[in-house]
Amino acid sequence: MRRLQLAVLAALTLGAGLTATPAQAHPGQRALGIENCAADTCHFDVPPGTYDVRVLLGGSAASSTAVSGETRRSLLPETAAPAGERVARSFTVNVRTPEGEPTGPDGTPGLDLVLGGSAPALADIRVTPARQARQILLVGDSTVCDQPGVPYSGWGQQLPQYLDKGVSVANYADSGESTVSYLGNPQLWGTVRPLIRPGDLVLIQLAHNDKTTDEATYRANLQTLVEGVRHQGGEPVLVTPIVRRWFNADGTLNNDIALLVNGLGVNHPVVIRSVAAELGVPLVDLTAKTKALVESLGVEGSKAVYLYNENKDNTHTSVHGATVYAGLVRDELVALHLMPARLVRE
């Protein structure tokens, strides 16, 4: 990976972000720039909050640069710049402690960014507190969370790269959590609920670990989460779980393991759909979307979406799979008119 190529910042007027309750900001803080970068990393000594990042990409040779940050979050997809030209891009990032899973280690204070891509080149960068930003908060399990180690990735970890400046993703999904444990842990729901502001989206995908939760309890827990979001003025969105890669002999996923039916016979996607309809909550039917995709890829093609080749794991997704699934979520948010098309990337 080549060293960063320094260049004079070109003037550029960026479009305004989505109008919403201002994110946490620090008005007296000056813009931080490329002096905080070395080699393929940048570190900005900022307190927890929401920050706009503007990058100027490119150099004397043709380049292709991606940006990730904090706990392996994909913040900007690989972006090409022709030789001698500069390409400006912006995104909004959530900085928090712990920086990854809520029950995990604190991580490194401040904002850490990493350059990737096939030929990375950063000409300049500016980090400023976000004045107007809408939050997407994520409540979920290991298939959603900011996974700390390769080769794992949750779809929530890949979602930020699909969003433009003005929207940040605060991923409070945590490995191993059920609706019961998430509600009962003060590091989880007790932390997330007070952070919800009017206009924020809260995506809720909890099912994989509700293996011994009866239907009445599961339904009640979903209702508690929905009501809690609404009490704070947020917009709850129920998300059915991603399928497990568990094929029948005929190449379909029509079985309890694949479709998240627990040992008590509780069909989690069916209950989620029912609660969404009863409470008038927007629904992202990720079970249906991922089922169709996995079946279309077939037994062999779908291995790359999960971690079958690495760990014989048919539940957790690879970076590639999580990226594909995050794209499905992006598409549904736009289709449901929960996110303006102008604030999402293809």
Side-chain angles (χ1 to χ4, degrees):
M1 199 172 285
R2 72 180 64 171
R3 295 184 64 84
L4 300 184
Q5 299 169 310
L6 303 182
V8 178
L9 178 63
L12 183 69
T13 301
L14 299 175
L18 181 68
T19 301
T21 303
Q24 181 177 346
H26 309 277
Q29 181 180 310
R30 64 181 179 84
L32 301 175
I34 202 165
E35 68 275 5
N36 295 277
C37 301
D40 59 351
T41 63
C42 301
H43 173 76
F44 302 92
D45 187 16
V46 296
T50 307
Y51 295 88
D52 290 332
V53 179
R54 178 185 183 276
V55 293
L56 196 64
L57 307 175
S60 57
S63 63
S64 187
T65 309
V67 181
S68 61
E70 298 298 87
T71 303
R72 302 178 59 238
R73 295 181 224 158
S74 294
L75 300 171
L76 186 70
E78 190 156 354
T79 303
E85 295 187 19
R86 301 291 185 266
V87 174
R89 293 289 186 270
S90 296
F91 55 87
T92 301
V93 60
N94 170 258
V95 177
R96 60 182 184 271
T97 303
E99 71 177 30
E101 295 179 270
T103 62
D106 284 354
T108 305
L111 171 62
D112 289 286
L113 302 177
V114 178
L115 296 186
S118 58
L122 179 68
D124 209 348
I125 187 169
R126 286 290 182 270
V127 175
T128 55
R131 305 301 181 189
Q132 298 288 333
R134 188 180 188 182
Q135 289 188 114
I136 299 178
L137 295 105
L138 305 181
V139 170
D141 53 34
S142 59
T143 66
V144 184
C145 75
D146 287 352
Q147 289 279 2
V150 176
Y152 290 86
S153 180
W155 61 256
Q157 203 164 15
Q158 302 301 323
L159 185 60
Q161 68 183 297
Y162 288 117
L163 303 172
D164 213 332
K165 177 186 174 184
V167 186
S168 70
V169 176
N171 191 350
Y172 283 87
D174 196 70
S175 294
E177 305 300 340
S178 66
T179 57
V180 176
S181 63
Y182 202 96
L183 284 168
N185 190 333
Q187 291 178 280
L188 299 172
W189 186 235
T191 297
V192 175
R193 182 176 173 178
L195 297 176
I196 301 169
R197 304 181 180 95
D200 289 343
L201 293 180
V202 184
L203 277 56
I204 302 165
Q205 186 214 279
L206 286 167
H208 278 271
N209 300 301
D210 279 278
K211 298 174 183 177
T212 60
T213 309
D214 63 78
E215 182 170 340
T217 301
Y218 186 64
R219 184 179 294 272
N221 287 345
L222 292 175
Q223 292 171 342
T224 297
L225 290 164
V226 167
E227 291 165 1
V229 173
R230 285 176 166 170
H231 184 267
Q232 297 295 117
E235 175 79 23
V237 181
L238 289 176
V239 182
T240 58
I242 67 170
V243 293
R244 296 191 180 101
R245 184 190 163 277
W246 201 270
F247 283 92
N248 297 325
D250 64 358
T252 67
L253 299 177
N254 298 317
N255 59 75
D256 289 355
I257 295 175
L259 299 181
L260 283 296
V261 180
N262 74 10
L264 301 178
V266 180
N267 188 316
H268 294 104
V270 168
V271 174
I272 295 169
R273 294 173 189 132
S274 172
V275 171
E278 291 173 7
L279 300 182
V281 177
L283 175 73
V284 173
D285 198 343
L286 204 50
T287 304
K289 293 290 183 181
T290 56
K291 178 179 183 292
L293 177 62
V294 172
E295 288 180 340
S296 71
L297 292 171
V299 174
E300 290 302 317
S302 61
K303 288 179 178 178
V305 176
Y306 291 82
L307 294 172
Y308 181 86
N309 293 325
E310 296 82 357
N311 297 326
K312 298 296 188 289
D313 187 334
N314 292 308
T315 297
H316 298 96
T317 48
S318 62
V319 171
H320 165 68
T323 302
V324 172
Y325 286 179
L328 296 177
V329 173
R330 180 262 329 259
D331 292 346
E332 287 300 289
L333 294 179
V334 173
L336 291 167
H337 304 292
L338 296 171
M339 188 60 57
R342 65 184 177 84
L343 289 178
V344 300
R345 294 191 178 95
E346 292 299 323

